[in-house]
Amino acid sequence: VMDGAISTRERDQARADFSQAQAEVQQAGAQESIAREELRTVDVGREGLEAQVRVAQAKLRAAQIDLNHTVIQAPEDGVLGEVGVRLGQFVTHGTQLMSVVPADHWIVANYKEAQTKAIAPGQTATLRIDALGGATLKGHVERLSPATGSEFAVLKPDNATGNFVKVPQRIGVRISVDPDQPFESSLRPGMSVEVDVDTRHR
């Protein structure tokens, strides 16, 4: 008949097993805490690395902007003139580096105001260029200036003294040079040109 009694050795073994099980539970709890701390450390480290990546990307964008600013592009195609900068020179905003002469050619003829009565856009013009030995080119009137040259002057004439003398004003007439002509490529800004406009057709 079993009455639930056990030997002292079995009791001691059971107590030892219980104590060992409690120790293992505590150890497992400690390992869980360590794992949680390591996980938080990993999260913090990941956030730090992500912050470093964002900083590096910002530095890359700033470096790309600086690199883009080292390339100076002309607003249009043309030929360089009056190059006032040398290789390796440091420049700042507003510094004139060079002049660009565009590929398009046109003439501005300053006619007296009375002479512009019959001039209209589209009329043909004959151009004689002194620097080309009197060679002639053909062109067309593009437009007339919206005001006389004196209106665009820095110091405008003042006739408030009462000694008014009528002086014929000059009106600029822009004439485009027709393409594909001999000597067209030899034109340079500032050349002297004699212009005849055919005013028979408006």
Side-chain angles (χ1 to χ4, degrees), residues 79-159:
V79 180
L80 294 182
E82 292 189 46
V83 179
V85 66
R86 62 183 182 278
L87 182 64
Q89 178 180 345
F90 287 96
V91 296
T92 58
H93 295 290
T95 302
Q96 181 175 347
L97 306 180
M98 61 199 69
S99 299
V100 178
V101 180
D104 296 335
H105 299 110
W106 68 85
I107 310 297
V108 177
N110 292 310
Y111 281 103
K112 294 180 181 179
E113 53 187 324
Q115 294 175 318
T116 62
K117 177 182 178 182
I119 296 178
Q123 293 173 336
T124 59
T126 302
L127 315 171
R128 286 185 297 276
I129 295 91
D130 295 347
L132 301 180
T136 60
L137 297 173
K138 295 296 182 182
H140 285 81
V141 175
E142 278 190 4
R143 59 180 178 270
L144 281 73
S145 175
T148 63
S150 61
E151 290 300 313
F152 295 118
V154 177
L155 299 175
K156 295 180 174 53
D158 185 6
N159 296 321

